[in-house]
Amino acid sequence: MRIFDKCDWVEYFFNNIHHKKMNKKHLKKFGKNIRNIRKNRNLSQEKLAELVGKSRNYIGMVERAELNLPVDMVFTFAKVLNVEPKVFFEF
C-alpha cells in the first residue's frame, strides 16, 4: 500500500473533504475511525500515545471528538497506524 505524500493528501482533502464542514458529527466519525483502526491493530490508547508522542488523554480526546487534530498529527497517526490519511475521513 502506498502512503499518500502530503501533496496527494492535500489534493484529496480539498477535492473530497474541504467542501464538507468538519462539524461535531464528522469529528465523531473521524475519532471513531482512529479508534477502530487502533483496536484492529491491537494497540491500547497508552501504546498509541507512546508511538505518536502524545499522552493517553490526548488519544482519548481525539477518539471522543473533543479536539481537532492538526494536519501534521493526521500524518503522524497515519504513519504509526500504517494507513493512508484518507481512511480517517471515510464518512
Side-chain angles (χ1 to χ4, degrees):
M1 170 189 338
R2 181 177 78 86
I3 301 295
F4 272 23
D5 65 23
K6 288 187 181 183
C7 292
D8 288 342
W9 188 82
V10 170
E11 181 179 345
Y12 174 85
F13 177 82
F14 281 105
N15 289 335
N16 297 290
I17 296 163
H18 176 65
H19 302 293
K20 301 176 188 176
K21 289 193 175 189
M22 283 293 284
N23 60 28
K24 188 70 169 179
K25 177 180 152 186
H26 292 113
L27 286 174
K28 284 183 179 182
K29 289 180 181 180
F30 178 89
K32 185 176 179 181
N33 287 343
I34 296 240
R35 180 176 55 248
N36 289 339
I37 295 166
R38 174 182 61 78
K39 287 184 174 185
N40 286 338
R41 303 284 192 276
N42 294 315
L43 293 172
S44 65
Q45 285 185 338
E46 291 84 1
K47 184 61 178 176
L48 181 57
E50 177 185 325
L51 293 171
V52 299
K54 297 291 183 181
S55 69
R56 184 204 52 80
N57 190 45
Y58 183 90
I59 303 300
M61 291 173 68
V62 169
E63 291 182 356
R64 291 188 306 272
E66 294 175 356
L67 106 97
N68 221 336
L69 273 158
V71 172
D72 64 327
M73 282 308 297
V74 172
F75 281 96
T76 300
F77 273 84
K79 183 176 180 180
V80 165
L81 295 170
N82 195 30
V83 297
E84 293 184 5
K86 71 177 186 176
V87 302
F88 300 136
F89 298 96
E90 292 175 353
F91 306 144

